[in-house]
Amino acid sequence: MTLISRILVPTDFSDCAARALEYALSLATKVGASVVLVHVFTPPIVYMPEGIWAMPAGERNLHDKLEEALQKLAAQCRETSSRPVEAVIAEGEAAKQIVSTAEAQRCDLIVMGTHGRSGLSHILIGSVAETVVQHSRCPVLTLRLPKA
């Protein structure tokens, strides 16, 4: 029986996310798991005078660029790892979509980076990783960059 067969790795393309991806690929190789990369796009909402909420047309272009960057990252992973790597782009609130994607993709583990914010920045920005840990049905492994 394999405890870990699919690992979800959320990415925001930061150094923290890159470290988590590197760790997840190494772990996947050791346990024979596949990797699912996910990027969550949170579209900006604009209030129109008519009372309609809409995504500006330019944001669809941003979505497409993010999808392209995610697919490129997945391809790079496939070149350096012997494990299967898939890429998924989701839309909405990051933590909620990460948990939802882990469930939909039947992942056994989430490996994600955390910026380790504290104080006012933690209060204002919040912690996606903390929310994922609180709501995920599968284990979550968080990694921080070493302090310089």
Side-chain angles (χ1 to χ4, degrees), residues 49-117:
E50 299 82 23
I52 300 170
W53 294 84
M55 182 185 339
E59 297 306 322
R60 185 51 51 196
N61 189 32
L62 175 59
H63 180 278
D64 293 344
K65 288 186 185 297
L66 289 168
E67 172 82 34
E68 185 179 312
L70 184 64
Q71 293 299 336
K72 182 178 177 182
L73 181 59
Q76 289 170 345
C77 292
R78 286 184 210 104
E79 289 175 8
T80 61
S81 174
S82 61
R83 304 309 308 154
V85 178
E86 299 172 44
V88 175
I89 194 155
E91 243 179 67
E93 190 241 315
K96 184 176 181 181
Q97 291 302 316
I98 291 166
V99 171
S100 176
T101 301
E103 291 175 11
Q105 294 288 325
R106 300 177 194 255
C107 294
D108 308 298
L109 176 67
I110 300 171
V111 176
M112 64 188 301
T114 179
H115 296 281
R117 292 185 182 98

